[in-house]
mmCIF file of all heavy atoms in Angstrom:
data_model
loop_
_atom_site.group_PDB
_atom_site.id
_atom_site.type_symbol
_atom_site.label_atom_id
_atom_site.label_comp_id
_atom_site.label_asym_id
_atom_site.label_seq_id
_atom_site.Cartn_x
_atom_site.Cartn_y
_atom_site.Cartn_z
ATOM 1 N N LEU C 124 -3.240 -3.166 -5.488
ATOM 2 C CA LEU C 124 -3.827 -4.490 -5.647
ATOM 3 C C LEU C 124 -2.887 -5.458 -6.363
ATOM 4 O O LEU C 124 -2.975 -6.653 -6.182
ATOM 5 C CB LEU C 124 -5.162 -4.371 -6.382
ATOM 6 C CG LEU C 124 -6.160 -3.454 -5.628
ATOM 7 C CD1 LEU C 124 -7.416 -3.219 -6.448
ATOM 8 C CD2 LEU C 124 -6.509 -4.042 -4.257
ATOM 9 N N GLY C 151 11.553 7.950 -19.718
ATOM 10 C CA GLY C 151 11.058 9.326 -19.618
ATOM 11 C C GLY C 151 11.318 10.136 -20.881
ATOM 12 O O GLY C 151 11.569 11.334 -20.816
ATOM 13 N N LEU C 154 15.988 7.641 -25.081
ATOM 14 C CA LEU C 154 16.164 6.247 -25.499
ATOM 15 C C LEU C 154 17.586 5.759 -25.233
ATOM 16 O O LEU C 154 18.553 6.469 -25.528
ATOM 17 C CB LEU C 154 15.820 6.085 -26.989
ATOM 18 C CG LEU C 154 14.308 5.925 -27.256
ATOM 19 C CD1 LEU C 154 13.599 7.248 -27.134
ATOM 20 C CD2 LEU C 154 14.070 5.305 -28.601
ATOM 21 N N GLY C 186 28.715 -5.859 -24.120
ATOM 22 C CA GLY C 186 29.678 -6.918 -24.404
ATOM 23 C C GLY C 186 29.668 -7.878 -23.228
ATOM 24 O O GLY C 186 29.697 -7.456 -22.074
ATOM 25 N N ARG C 192 26.075 -19.974 -22.055
ATOM 26 C CA ARG C 192 25.997 -20.755 -23.293
ATOM 27 C C ARG C 192 25.228 -22.049 -23.082
ATOM 28 O O ARG C 192 25.349 -22.694 -22.036
ATOM 29 C CB ARG C 192 27.409 -21.078 -23.809
ATOM 30 C CG ARG C 192 28.305 -19.862 -24.025
ATOM 31 C CD ARG C 192 27.677 -18.791 -24.915
ATOM 32 N NE ARG C 192 27.398 -19.241 -26.246
ATOM 33 C CZ ARG C 192 28.274 -19.252 -27.246
ATOM 34 N NH1 ARG C 192 29.514 -18.814 -27.046
ATOM 35 N NH2 ARG C 192 27.939 -19.682 -28.444
ATOM 36 N N GLY C 243 20.479 -11.858 -17.481
ATOM 37 C CA GLY C 243 20.053 -12.516 -18.716
ATOM 38 C C GLY C 243 18.728 -13.241 -18.555
ATOM 39 O O GLY C 243 18.256 -13.494 -17.434
ATOM 40 N N PHE C 250 16.477 -15.670 -7.943
ATOM 41 C CA PHE C 250 16.114 -14.681 -6.924
ATOM 42 C C PHE C 250 17.294 -14.273 -6.053
ATOM 43 O O PHE C 250 17.363 -13.136 -5.596
ATOM 44 C CB PHE C 250 14.927 -15.194 -6.094
ATOM 45 C CG PHE C 250 13.715 -15.464 -6.951
ATOM 46 C CD1 PHE C 250 13.196 -16.739 -7.096
ATOM 47 C CD2 PHE C 250 13.121 -14.427 -7.670
ATOM 48 C CE1 PHE C 250 12.093 -16.976 -7.917
ATOM 49 C CE2 PHE C 250 12.020 -14.658 -8.492
ATOM 50 C CZ PHE C 250 11.510 -15.935 -8.608
ATOM 51 N N ASP C 337 18.256 -10.346 -41.093
ATOM 52 C CA ASP C 337 17.310 -9.824 -42.090
ATOM 53 C C ASP C 337 16.025 -9.318 -41.429
ATOM 54 O O ASP C 337 15.271 -8.559 -42.042
ATOM 55 C CB ASP C 337 16.980 -10.897 -43.154
ATOM 56 C CG ASP C 337 16.415 -12.179 -42.549
ATOM 57 O OD1 ASP C 337 16.810 -12.550 -41.420
ATOM 58 O OD2 ASP C 337 15.547 -12.807 -43.196
#
Side-chain angles (χ1 to χ4, degrees):
L124 301 173
L154 277 76
R192 304 307 298 275
F250 301 116
D337 57 327

